[in-house]
Amino acid sequence: MKNTTITYYLIITLFFIYACNTIHENDKSKQVIEYVDPMIGTDAHGHTFPGATVPFGMLQLSPSNDFKNWDWCSGYHYSDSVLKGFAHNHISGPGLSGLGDILLMPTSELHLTPGTEKNPETGYRSRFSHDNESASPGYYKVFLDDANVLVELTTSKRVGYHRYTFDEVGEKFITIDPTHGIADFAYETGINIISATEIIGYKKSKSGTAGDRTVYFYVVFSKPFKNAGIGKKDEIQKGIKNLSGADVRGFACFDMANGEAIEVEVALSYVSQKGAKSNWEAEGEAFDFDLAKNAAEAQWKEKLDKIVISTKSEPRKKTFYTAMYHSFISPNLISDVDGKYFLEGEVKESSIPQYSNFSTWDTYRALHPLLTIVEQEKTAEIVNSMISRYTEAGLILPGWEAIGYDNVCMIGYNMTSPIADAVLKDVPGINAEEAYAAIKAAAFDKTKHSQNYDQNGMDGYIKYGYVTGEIGSSVSKTTEQNYYDWAIGKVAEKLGKKEDATLFNQRSKAWRNLFHKGTGYLFPKLSTGELVELKTNTWNGLRSNYVSGNIWAYSAYTPHDMAAAIQLQGGREAYTKWLDGIFNDSTELEGHQHVDISGFIGKYGHGDEPGHQMPYLFNMAGKPWLTQKYVSEVVNTMYSDKPDGLINNEDLGQMSAWYIFSTLGFYPIAPGNLTYQFGAPLYDEAVISLENGSQFKIVARNQSAENIYVQKVWLNGNEYDKTYIKHADILLGGTLEFEMGAEPNKLWGIAPESSSLGIFNDQEEP
């Protein structure tokens, strides 16, 4: 299984990685990885998975339960006590179900079907206990009670590594089930036994999440099997080494000694069987389980060490470093080692790494801005992959892409934001002209998606200046697309495209057409020009007119045009009263709310993304202490170090990135603006290591559970009266110091020039 020469060099490399990280015995960062708990978010509605993966890797090798309902979106839920097996790809914290491809399961008896959850012994399922389960970055293990076997998992980028240690002597089995999926349908599977240590196969499936696709796999065992077979249900097809069709599964049988372990390596490809084997040859052939585990942990340690916090609170350390872990899982690699990848039903080839699982409607808000600070090289890779959808594949930028398929489950041309933000921040390695061509094309897309439905309402958006109420969700679509247009306009301005800059600047103001002066809310507007005033004492009507976010979140979704928003509300005091009223609105609503809208402070719902900027908007209105108050409340009540420690979908890093920014003390309310709004830092000290070799340090003097209010701020030793910091100041390195207190300092940061409005918004007021 290993090439000796290659393995020698890998061992030497790993030795130096660990030596560099452990040479100072008192180095605080050497313990960082121990604070990560992948179980956080696996309970309640967090939808994370606990299994093994490496940063941005193709594989997420994790345990699977039966899919029961929405809480099993990731394939696993902490409330469960029965495992179906271990599948090789998962989405981290989604609100939609999918993947869970190519499941393996070790058993003491031969079964090709899973049996029933109530009676796992009738199939290959097994009971387990959380007492015998643990997870850490790049590693997962569990003891299966019915099979009497210890399962350990780890991964490289494209290869999953299993180690099964059996407690009993005799024949033991490993079931290979390509039919498994998380709420998808495998309409054809195939298995081919090619030697006593190798099995190959594929799965063809249809899924609303990742479309009609084929997943190829290549399996290598560390010892020859005694025999192997293929069948449908529990009917083995004797003497057959190759079988395809509906519901095909396979097994391998081994004679095992007591306490003996067998290792299994599984490589995937979304392109071809050759691709799966080539991926294994590039990554798996030189590794055994322990080498792979050590390499995975080394990769995670490098990522986690990018931000080192100092706090006496162990739960805060666990919550923060697990948030860091979740922020580096996605997007995920989809290209093989030869550069081939599968995109919208076709095999493509690229000279750059290709990524997918782009939940950019969620992640543009905080995850991608975080990566522009700590992962500029990876940001360039990811953004170039996004741009290539237009420049190489000839497609419009996707709205929500899973494994190369745009499932169009969210609104707007949201991928424009991370692209524009990276260009405006001068992230190296991105062709700005190609980037601009891609985002401009997306802003005129009139593609008719499923059932001839104009997803973004582009006809009306261009004709009337807003998405009309007849389309549905018009406020959400108008406000989102206004922000995207603003970001596109900023790139046009940077590139000297004056006419385009003027056009997109004008388009970005369309939300003003929806403003209702009597309530301060944004209501749908019909093509006739009539505002549709909705009742705010029932969820009925609100659910169909606002996507995921509610009327309160989207009425405040004007982060790129805050001078106008404040003026339309009647000035800074009036805006504060209106916004604070949302956080203090305890009115009970009738009807059934959207499942994603949760984590309430009044009518602010932190459980979904459209309102994530809202606590920070008080800075603009000259009331920064209210920002500090509400940010602290969210941080302390909606995140924890327990399995149910996320208030809702983790959403591929967005919920975690919000927490990281907010506990450090600043947050990007409108990526592309190049500023971050101050909140309330949670740690005594935090040090961000930048890729340019500099460090940016945040110090919070007198910080405590009671001292949540900013009294004074210093930047590099100079008193600083702004309520924001510029991106360039962070990248230069230096020290940002806060003095904290138990009572608001209502004199600090209140002057209009202290807010970022002056540089934040150069549009004329309405």
Side-chain angles (χ1 to χ4, degrees):
M1 187 173 288
K2 295 182 292 183
N3 179 294
T4 306
T5 303
I6 297 175
T7 302
Y8 170 79
Y9 286 110
L10 286 168
I11 291 171
I12 294 298
T13 301
L14 288 170
F15 170 80
F16 279 114
I17 290 172
Y18 277 95
C20 289
N21 283 309
T22 59
I23 194 164
H24 298 296
E25 198 166 338
N26 294 321
D27 184 359
K28 296 177 183 178
S29 65
K30 79 170 187 176
Q31 300 297 328
V32 161
I33 196 169
E34 298 176 30
Y35 289 107
V36 176
D37 183 2
M39 289 294 173
I40 295 175
T42 59
D43 205 354
H45 309 307
H47 298 161
T48 61
F49 63 84
T53 189
V54 296
F56 310 108
M58 178 185 287
L59 268 63
Q60 304 81 36
L61 178 51
S62 191
S64 288
N65 313 126
D66 281 279
F67 181 80
K68 298 180 177 67
N69 57 48
W70 186 65
D71 279 334
W72 276 258
C73 276
S74 72
Y76 173 99
H77 196 263
Y78 194 80
S79 64
D80 220 319
S81 59
V82 175
L83 292 181
K84 193 176 179 182
F86 307 93
H88 288 77
N89 55 11
H90 297 80
I91 306 175
S92 179
L96 73 172
S97 306
L99 308 188
D101 294 326
I102 318 304
L103 181 140
L104 268 63
M105 186 64 163
T107 62
S108 292
E109 298 179 357
L110 175 57
H111 292 287
L112 289 187
T113 57
T116 66
E117 188 174 23
K118 188 174 181 180
N119 301 109
E121 66 276 1
T122 62
Y124 58 70
R125 286 185 178 91
S126 178
R127 302 171 183 88
F128 77 105
S129 168
H130 293 305
D131 292 338
N132 297 317
E133 179 188 37
S134 64
S136 60
Y139 179 65
Y140 171 88
K141 71 175 179 179
V142 66
F143 187 82
L144 301 180
D145 296 335
D146 291 292
N148 286 312
V149 58
L150 176 67
V151 174
E152 298 173 273
L153 309 175
T154 191
T155 73
S156 61
K157 286 186 290 188
R158 299 176 178 89
V159 179
Y161 302 80
H162 307 238
R163 183 160 63 192
Y164 306 144
T165 305
F166 290 90
D167 268 5
E168 297 173 340
V169 176
E171 286 189 343
K172 304 299 173 185
F173 302 87
I174 297 174
T175 300
I176 301 173
D177 181 3
T179 72
H180 178 264
I182 303 169
D184 71 357
F185 170 64
Y187 61 88
E188 181 183 329
T189 53
I191 292 179
N192 186 5
I193 302 168
I194 59 176
S195 77
T197 58
E198 299 167 287
I199 293 177
I200 62 175
Y202 66 89
K203 166 190 177 180
K204 292 181 180 292
S205 66
K206 291 182 179 179
S207 161
T209 299
D212 193 344
R213 72 191 191 284
T214 303
V215 183
Y216 301 90
F217 62 91
Y218 176 74
V219 181
V220 181
F221 301 98
S222 61
K223 63 180 282 185
F225 46 71
K226 180 180 179 180
N227 58 71
I230 313 170
K232 298 180 179 181
K233 298 186 177 179
D234 266 341
E235 299 175 5
I236 309 299
Q237 307 293 313
K238 294 183 179 179
I240 294 178
K241 292 188 175 182
N242 189 356
L243 183 66
S244 61
D247 209 31
V248 171
R249 299 179 176 92
F251 75 92
C253 174
F254 301 86
D255 279 326
M256 302 296 290
N258 186 31
E260 183 182 0
I262 183 169
E263 296 183 12
V264 189
E265 297 179 1
V266 182
L268 296 191
S269 169
Y270 300 108
V271 174
S272 67
Q273 193 60 69
K274 179 182 177 183
K277 186 174 182 181
S278 295
N279 289 342
W280 177 80
E281 290 170 344
E283 295 181 15
E285 188 173 15
F287 271 29
D288 61 16
F289 186 91
D290 287 325
L291 274 175
K293 176 177 177 289
N294 291 342
E297 289 174 346
Q299 290 180 61
W300 278 115
K301 195 169 192 316
E302 187 267 332
K303 301 301 181 192
L304 296 167
D305 282 350
K306 288 178 178 287
I307 305 178
V308 177
I309 63 169
S310 297
T311 175
K312 295 177 182 177
S313 171
E314 296 293 296
R316 285 180 176 177
K317 287 181 183 177
K318 282 182 64 178
T319 307
F320 179 84
Y321 285 114
T322 304
M324 285 281 288
Y325 168 77
H326 283 143
S327 296
F328 290 105
I329 291 177
S330 303
N332 301 113
L333 186 70
I334 59 167
S335 53
D336 291 342
V337 292
D338 62 2
K340 292 181 180 177
Y341 64 106
F342 189 75
L343 181 67
E344 296 294 348
E346 296 182 3
V347 174
K348 306 285 185 181
E349 189 168 358
S350 180
S351 60
I352 62 174
Q354 288 292 338
Y355 295 87
S356 192
N357 296 343
F358 288 125
S359 184
T360 42
W361 180 85
D362 305 292
T363 57
Y364 82 74
R365 304 166 199 267
L367 175 66
H368 290 287
L370 177 65
L371 297 181
T372 65
I373 295 174
V374 298
E375 280 278 352
Q376 289 209 331
E377 186 175 337
K378 184 61 66 177
T379 291
E381 280 190 7
I382 291 169
V383 167
N384 284 332
S385 178
M386 293 175 176
I387 295 168
S388 76
R389 298 297 183 268
Y390 178 77
T391 57
E392 292 185 6
L395 302 172
I396 294 296
L397 298 176
W400 208 120
E401 186 188 281
I403 313 298
Y405 169 75
D406 185 5
N407 56 50
V408 201
C409 74
M410 290 311 300
I411 60 174
Y413 30 102
N414 47 69
M415 195 176 277
T416 60
S417 176
I419 296 174
D421 190 41
V423 170
L424 291 165
K425 288 175 176 174
D426 294 316
V427 173
I430 297 171
N431 185 311
E433 290 289 346
E434 290 183 353
Y436 182 71
I439 60 180
K440 179 181 177 180
F444 293 96
D445 179 31
K446 295 185 180 181
T447 302
K448 302 294 183 182
H449 295 290
S450 60
Q451 300 177 346
N452 205 35
Y453 176 60
D454 183 1
Q455 175 77 2
N456 295 330
M458 189 57 65
D459 283 328
Y461 187 61
I462 293 174
K463 181 177 180 179
Y464 299 106
Y466 55 89
V467 177
T468 63
E470 291 92 338
I471 288 291
S473 302
S474 64
V475 176
S476 299
K477 292 174 182 177
T478 299
T479 54
E480 290 279 347
Q481 291 169 195
N482 281 185
Y483 159 69
Y484 308 144
D485 285 343
W486 170 84
I488 295 169
K490 286 297 182 185
V491 177
E493 183 182 306
K494 180 182 179 72
L495 298 179
K497 302 178 187 295
K498 294 182 180 180
E499 289 186 8
D500 283 1
T502 299
L503 170 66
F504 285 110
N505 181 48
Q506 186 61 41
R507 279 176 46 159
S508 74
K509 304 171 187 176
W511 69 270
R512 302 178 189 181
N513 292 301
L514 311 182
F515 183 79
H516 183 262
K517 195 168 184 179
T519 63
Y521 298 139
L522 303 185
F523 286 126
K525 192 172 189 178
L526 302 176
S527 57
T528 60
E530 178 187 359
L531 277 179
V532 181
E533 296 186 38
L534 301 171
K535 294 181 180 179
T536 57
N537 61 353
T538 176
W539 289 108
N540 300 328
L542 297 183
R543 292 187 69 214
S544 60
N545 282 281
Y546 303 86
V547 174
S548 289
N550 57 27
I551 186 174
W552 297 277
Y554 271 117
S555 292
Y557 197 71
T558 57
H560 64 289
D561 197 14
M562 286 304 300
I566 290 170
Q567 184 173 340
L568 284 173
Q569 292 286 359
R572 298 207 303 168
E573 290 297 327
Y575 187 86
T576 297
K577 182 178 179 181
W578 175 80
L579 185 61
D580 199 34
I582 294 174
F583 284 87
N584 286 281
D585 185 346
S586 59
T587 308
E588 290 190 15
L589 273 66
E590 299 175 352
H592 181 67
Q593 72 188 62
H594 191 291
V595 68
D596 278 353
I597 305 174
S598 61
F600 284 104
I601 303 175
K603 293 300 183 291
Y604 168 74
H606 190 70
D608 214 356
E609 282 71 16
H612 274 190
Q613 81 290 345
M614 288 174 67
Y616 288 92
L617 299 182
F618 293 102
N619 281 357
M620 304 291 193
K623 301 292 189 297
W625 63 88
L626 289 175
T627 285
Q628 297 149 28
K629 171 187 173 181
Y630 291 123
V631 167
S632 296
E633 186 171 349
V634 173
V635 162
N636 288 312
T637 64
M638 300 186 194
Y639 295 84
S640 80
D641 64 338
K642 302 296 188 292
D644 63 354
L646 289 169
I647 204 69
N648 211 307
N649 305 327
E650 211 282 320
D651 279 324
L652 291 83
Q654 169 58 26
M655 288 287 282
S656 290
W658 189 97
Y659 181 85
I660 291 167
F661 269 124
S662 295
T663 59
L664 292 176
F666 51 92
Y667 184 80
I669 67 169
N673 168 252
L674 313 185
T675 66
Y676 304 85
Q677 298 298 312
F678 286 154
L682 190 65
Y683 313 114
D684 299 330
E685 182 177 295
V687 178
I688 303 173
S689 294
L690 305 166
E691 287 180 330
N692 60 16
S694 300
Q695 289 188 330
F696 187 73
K697 182 186 294 186
I698 303 108
V699 176
R701 305 177 187 171
N702 304 319
Q703 192 283 327
S704 70
E706 297 77 24
N707 294 353
I708 64 170
Y709 294 105
V710 175
Q711 307 298 304
K712 287 184 179 181
V713 177
W714 295 264
L715 179 60
N716 297 326
N718 299 312
E719 195 162 338
Y720 191 76
D721 64 350
K722 310 296 184 186
T723 57
Y724 65 92
I725 187 170
K726 296 179 181 179
H727 179 75
D729 287 332
I730 295 174
L731 291 193
L732 284 173
T735 301
L736 177 66
E737 297 177 83
F738 295 86
E739 181 181 323
M740 309 300 292
E743 298 295 330
N745 179 354
K746 295 186 178 182
L747 297 178
W748 179 82
I750 65 172
E753 57 269 23
S754 292
S755 81
S756 60
L757 278 181
I759 62 169
F760 189 87
N761 193 298
D762 55 5
Q763 304 176 5
E764 73 276 9
E765 296 180 353

